[in-house]
């Protein structure tokens, strides 16, 4: 049975920094299998019964959390000035969570947070072409010509020719008449679209829409592979993945 140092075990379970945990161990805060342990280097395994200040500490190797990312939060693990997606998970058991891929600061929707590097690589690797579906509101009227351009593989700029993508135009709201449009700030109208892409380049959805002469004004990710955003989650809310959701992701 694989064993780790007691201070490492407790630190990974979020009981404090390594130095704080060591200090607590030496003060007698920890009992292992009914006995007080004061040596940080004491080795434990997942089968040992570990208590910190009388509270059981069960080892969790991996966490998988679905977050409905709100706008205004950055997809990072830490930042000295801005709130990060990790800051939104106060009860995480692991302190090494990271977002799988990133959503722009102003983009909402599905974001997976985990400490499972193997799964993250599987979902992000260009070789696997894991589908990502977005809902967007676009300034401008999307057309059948845009659908064909996206399906053929769109030349975006000198850095990106996007893989073929599936564009669905959900609705189009043409510009209102002159009297109604005064002060609207949107003389070209708007469109609502759903877009499925198979890669994850920097600002890809916004760049693709810009390449056909429109601009994204609202963007939300709905799914990533088999994982779909739980509609019960409001922006900023999260939950842990179910066993079936995790199995489906690993089958991608």
């Amino acid at each position: 049975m694989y064993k780790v140092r007691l201070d490492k075990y407790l630190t990974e379970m979020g009981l404090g920094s390594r130095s704080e945990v060591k200090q607590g161990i030496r003060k007698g805060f920890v009992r292992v299998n009914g006995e007080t342990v004061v040596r940080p280097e004491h080795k434990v395994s997942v089968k040992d019964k570990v208590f910190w200040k009388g509270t059981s500490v069960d080892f969790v190797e991996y966490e998988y959390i679905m977050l409905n990312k709100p706008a205004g939060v950055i997809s990072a693990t830490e930042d000295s000035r801005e709130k990060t997606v990790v800051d939104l998970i106060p009860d995480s058991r692991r302190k090494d969570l990271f977002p799988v891929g990133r959503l722009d600061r102003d983009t909402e929707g599905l974001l997976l947070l985990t400490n499972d590097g193997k799964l993250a690589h599987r979902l992000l690797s260009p070789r696997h072409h894991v589908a990502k579906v977005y809902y967007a509101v676009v300034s401008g009227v999307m057309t059948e010509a845009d659908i064909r351009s996206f399906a053929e593989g769109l030349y975006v700029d000198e850095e990106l020719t996007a893989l073929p993508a599936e564009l669905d135009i959900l609705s189009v709201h043409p510009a209102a008449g002159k009297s109604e449009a005064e002060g609207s700030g949107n003389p070209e109208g708007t469109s609502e679209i759903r877009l499925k892409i198979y890669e994850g380049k920097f600002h890809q959805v916004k760049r693709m829409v810009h390449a056909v002469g429109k601009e994204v004004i609202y963007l939300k990710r709905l799914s990533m592979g088999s994982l779909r955003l739980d509609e019960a989650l409001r922006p900023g809310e999260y939950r842990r993945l179910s066993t079936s959701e995790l199995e489906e992701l690993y089958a991608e």
Side-chain angles (χ1 to χ4, degrees):
M1 178 65 64
Y2 177 69
K3 292 194 171 188
V4 298
R5 285 174 57 112
L6 180 59
D7 56 348
K8 176 178 173 63
Y9 177 107
L10 294 169
T11 299
E12 290 189 357
M13 293 303 98
L15 274 302
S17 67
R18 195 71 171 260
S19 60
E20 290 170 339
V21 165
K22 284 183 177 180
Q23 186 177 31
I25 294 171
R26 294 186 178 113
K27 288 182 176 180
F29 291 171
V30 182
R31 292 177 66 82
V32 179
N33 300 327
E35 297 183 2
T36 299
V37 175
V38 295
R39 294 169 45 248
E41 65 274 17
H42 180 85
K43 296 293 184 69
V44 295
S45 74
V46 294
K47 287 192 172 183
D48 290 313
K49 304 298 183 183
V50 180
F51 286 78
W52 171 270
K53 296 182 179 179
T55 301
S56 178
V57 182
D58 296 323
F59 188 79
V60 175
E61 185 174 9
Y62 295 117
E63 274 198 297
Y64 305 90
I65 294 174
M66 175 194 298
L67 170 70
N68 185 355
K69 178 192 171 298
V73 179
I74 63 173
S75 298
T77 56
E78 58 182 351
D79 190 274
S80 60
R81 295 176 297 178
E82 305 234 32
K83 179 176 286 189
T84 73
V85 292
V86 173
D87 294 332
L88 299 179
I89 319 295
D91 64 345
S92 63
R93 298 293 304 279
R94 301 285 315 196
K95 297 306 174 185
D96 51 356
L97 292 181
F98 59 87
V100 178
R102 65 186 303 275
L103 294 178
D104 298 336
R105 188 178 188 279
D106 60 345
T107 299
E108 300 180 3
L110 175 67
L111 190 64
L112 173 63
L113 290 95
T114 185
N115 61 317
D116 186 345
K118 181 179 178 181
L119 178 62
H121 175 74
R122 188 180 188 89
L123 295 174
L124 297 176
S125 172
R127 291 186 303 136
H128 287 96
H129 299 309
V130 173
K132 303 168 187 69
V133 178
Y134 294 83
Y135 164 80
V137 179
V138 173
S139 176
V141 174
M142 300 295 284
T143 66
E144 291 294 323
D146 296 329
I147 292 177
R148 292 192 294 271
S149 294
F150 278 51
E152 292 168 359
L154 181 68
Y155 174 82
V156 176
D157 52 43
E158 60 184 14
E159 297 179 350
L160 173 63
T161 296
L163 292 174
E166 300 170 28
L167 170 63
D168 291 317
I169 302 173
L170 303 177
S171 64
V172 173
H173 309 280
K178 183 176 181 181
S179 62
E180 297 177 11
E182 289 178 355
S184 68
N186 186 23
E188 297 181 356
T190 60
S191 305
E192 295 180 65
I193 65 170
R194 181 183 291 111
L195 179 64
K196 180 186 286 189
I197 62 176
Y198 296 87
E199 53 195 333
K201 304 297 184 181
F202 182 68
H203 291 321
Q204 181 166 343
V205 174
K206 294 177 180 178
R207 291 164 69 189
M208 291 176 72
V209 171
H210 179 76
V212 294
K214 291 88 175 178
E215 299 295 333
V216 170
I217 55 180
Y218 174 78
L219 185 61
K220 178 178 183 178
R221 183 155 68 190
L222 303 177
S223 66
M224 183 177 191
S226 61
L227 188 64
R228 291 169 175 76
L229 180 64
D230 187 334
E231 295 181 356
L233 295 176
R234 294 177 295 183
E237 293 184 337
Y238 62 93
R239 67 166 173 81
R240 284 159 177 82
L241 297 195
S242 67
T243 300
S244 61
E245 286 172 331
L246 187 56
E247 289 175 346
E248 289 177 359
L249 276 181
Y250 258 106
E252 292 287 345

